[in-house]
Amino acid sequence: MEIPFFPPDLFDTDRKVMLDLIREIGTAADQKFILGEHTAAFERTLRDAVGAADVVACGSGTSALGLVLRAMDIGPGQEVVVPAFGCAPLASAVLEVGARPVFADVDRRTMVVDPDDVAARITDRTAAIMPAHLFSIMADVPRLVELADAHGLRLLEDSAVAQGAVLRGTPAGLWGEAGVYSFVQVKSFGMPGEGGAVVTRDAELGRRARLLRNHGQGGTRFVHEVVGVNSRFDEIQAAFQTYRFAGFAERLERRASIAEHYTARFTGLPGVVPPPPGRDGRCYYVYCVQAERRDRLRDFLGERGIGTHVYYPQPLPRQAAFAPHARAGDRWPNAEHAAERILALPVHPHLTDAEVERVADAVCEFAEVAHVR
Ligand SMILES: *Cc1c(COP(=O)(O)O)cnc(C)c1O
């Protein structure tokens, strides 16, 4: 029996709700399919849940990053310090607004950006710091806030995978001036389609993102106050996600307890390092271990029907797309180390206890066998 990395039955129990919404919104008199009252209600739900000043639903997590960068007026001639290890939008969103991504190395253990390395890469062109919460753990935002304040820099969080994560009482996305969410299917609050949001504690930044997401139009159609983009939100998905938000905390809790169990089982294993234990500042979108013989662990689990993923096989500045934008001679030894070792295990809330045990047993068996050799 296979244990898939992503559950194939993610939306099964909500299928009727979706079909009813398609009929209801699809046949409503106003024929409003984007940015209507359902989107507004969804935004209010998310805003109130974290105590933000504003949440602006938009086309994707990637475009949410772009909206924030634009709203902050970051552009040509400026630099944004981003992690060298993470996903493509960290670099591409910066390049898209005409600024330059400067890659900072990550912490060897947590694999999120290392504040000391960020500090070392600040120049007089640096406009912003953009950390990402990744790999089961939030970035060291308290230190990054200090750093941003000390140097007068903007701070935006790529919190695309950290919706619901909280560090020292402050939710992911509210440590910086703004953060983002992604609702693409595989994320913790994923939906059957494409979508994202800007989350911010700054009402003015929210207002600007709102303007930018719909071609710079404010209240009046065809009156363009600024040059914007098309990054709008779907009404059917908004109604569906508002409905599903009620179960989000419970699904996150299930992810957290699975992660906690894995960490308890893996602590002290030879050759396999779990994330640090604890619940503060943790996100459970994926659960990543670092394994000395990662490819063999992946094959070992694959032979036992357990799906895994390598996030990410290469540091960003080693990718052909971004290498030309990296500074010559720069090195990211911890990002390289992470790319060679990281492996994500299934942690989705549809796993049964027996499946969780099967994954944990297989990892333990591998570590003990590989250790003996
Ligand atoms: C998924 C993801 C994004 C992008 O979100 P999309 O909705 O897929 O555009 C950005 N940053 C991180 C860390 C992500 O995991």
Side-chain angles (χ1 to χ4, degrees):
M1 277 226 295
E2 301 282 315
I3 302 180
F5 188 78
F6 293 118
D9 56 350
L10 203 55
F11 304 108
D12 275 9
T13 54
D14 300 325
R15 191 166 287 176
K16 180 170 185 313
V17 174
M18 178 53 109
L19 291 174
D20 288 348
L21 286 171
I22 291 172
R23 180 181 300 275
E24 183 192 313
I25 294 168
T27 58
D30 63 0
Q31 291 292 284
K32 184 109 178 132
F33 297 115
I34 50 154
L35 299 186
E37 65 186 58
H38 295 290
T39 301
F42 180 47
E43 291 174 332
R44 285 195 299 272
T45 300
L46 298 182
R47 182 196 68 194
D48 296 346
V50 292
D54 205 357
V55 166
V56 182
C58 64
S60 68
T62 303
S63 85
L65 292 175
L67 289 175
V68 176
L69 290 166
R70 275 172 214 272
M72 289 178 166
D73 276 326
I74 290 171
Q78 295 184 314
E79 296 176 351
V80 179
V81 184
V82 304
F85 194 52
C87 59
L90 285 164
S92 60
V94 174
L95 288 163
E96 201 201 279
V97 299
R100 182 183 199 183
V102 171
F103 300 100
D105 205 2
V106 295
D107 180 272
R108 207 169 176 91
R109 175 78 204 274
T110 60
M111 299 181 280
V112 288
V113 80
D114 173 4
D116 290 331
D117 206 61
V118 171
R121 292 174 198 265
I122 291 172
T123 71
D124 55 8
R125 289 176 301 279
T126 309
I129 305 173
M130 183 160 83
H133 309 302
L134 290 170
F135 319 123
S136 332
I137 192 154
M138 278 175 66
D140 187 352
V141 267
R143 287 200 51 211
L144 293 167
V145 167
E146 274 174 33
L147 206 54
D149 288 349
H151 294 266
L153 304 175
R154 316 297 301 259
L155 179 67
L156 67 137
E157 298 168 67
D158 181 347
S159 49
V161 303
Q163 190 175 358
V166 175
L167 176 66
R168 299 189 202 164
T170 299
L174 297 185
W175 279 89
E177 291 165 70
V180 303
Y181 297 143
S182 167
F183 311 125
V184 76
Q185 163 179 7
V186 297
K187 303 293 163 84
S188 302
F189 190 44
M191 63 188 200
E194 190 92 270
V198 172
V199 52
T200 180
R201 55 182 165 82
D202 177 345
E204 174 56 19
L205 206 58
R207 192 191 69 80
R208 296 209 60 199
R210 202 170 281 286
L211 206 57
L212 289 163
R213 76 170 163 184
N214 193 12
H215 298 297
Q217 297 168 106
T220 316
R221 211 171 159 207
F222 302 133
V223 175
H224 305 278
E225 299 174 30
V226 293
V227 180
V229 297
N230 173 4
S231 182
R232 301 178 299 221
F233 203 82
D234 183 286
E235 281 286 278
I236 294 169
Q237 299 284 9
F240 187 62
Q241 283 299 78
T242 304
Y243 166 79
R244 292 183 77 244
F245 191 71
F248 178 50
E250 196 183 317
R251 294 192 296 274
L252 263 191
E253 176 54 33
R254 174 67 183 154
R255 287 174 181 267
S257 76
I258 295 169
E260 213 159 41
H261 185 70
Y262 284 155
T263 298
R265 292 277 320 261
F266 302 158
T267 299
L269 275 187
V272 175
V273 183
R279 285 216 174 187
D280 199 32
R282 294 296 183 275
C283 22
Y284 305 103
Y285 157 58
V286 292
Y287 181 91
C288 289
V289 296
Q290 294 184 61
E292 274 165 30
R293 306 172 198 215
R294 190 265 316 280
D295 292 350
R296 283 181 51 199
L297 174 58
R298 182 186 53 194
D299 295 346
F300 185 90
L301 296 175
E303 284 156 17
R304 283 151 186 79
I306 299 167
T308 58
H309 267 274
V310 173
Y311 298 104
Y312 295 91
Q314 285 204 82
L316 285 171
R318 295 270 179 251
Q319 295 279 356
F322 308 126
H325 303 285
R327 282 201 287 236
D330 267 4
R331 293 277 172 276
W332 309 272
N334 293 342
E336 306 275 4
H337 183 265
E340 283 164 16
R341 284 159 199 252
I342 197 162
L343 190 68
L345 308 176
V347 74
H348 63 76
H350 289 207
L351 292 170
T352 64
D353 288 350
E355 287 171 329
V356 171
E357 219 56 85
R358 244 182 76 198
V359 175
D361 285 346
V363 172
C364 292
E365 188 193 336
F366 173 84
E368 274 139 23
V369 170
H371 180 63
V372 170
R373 260 189 224 144

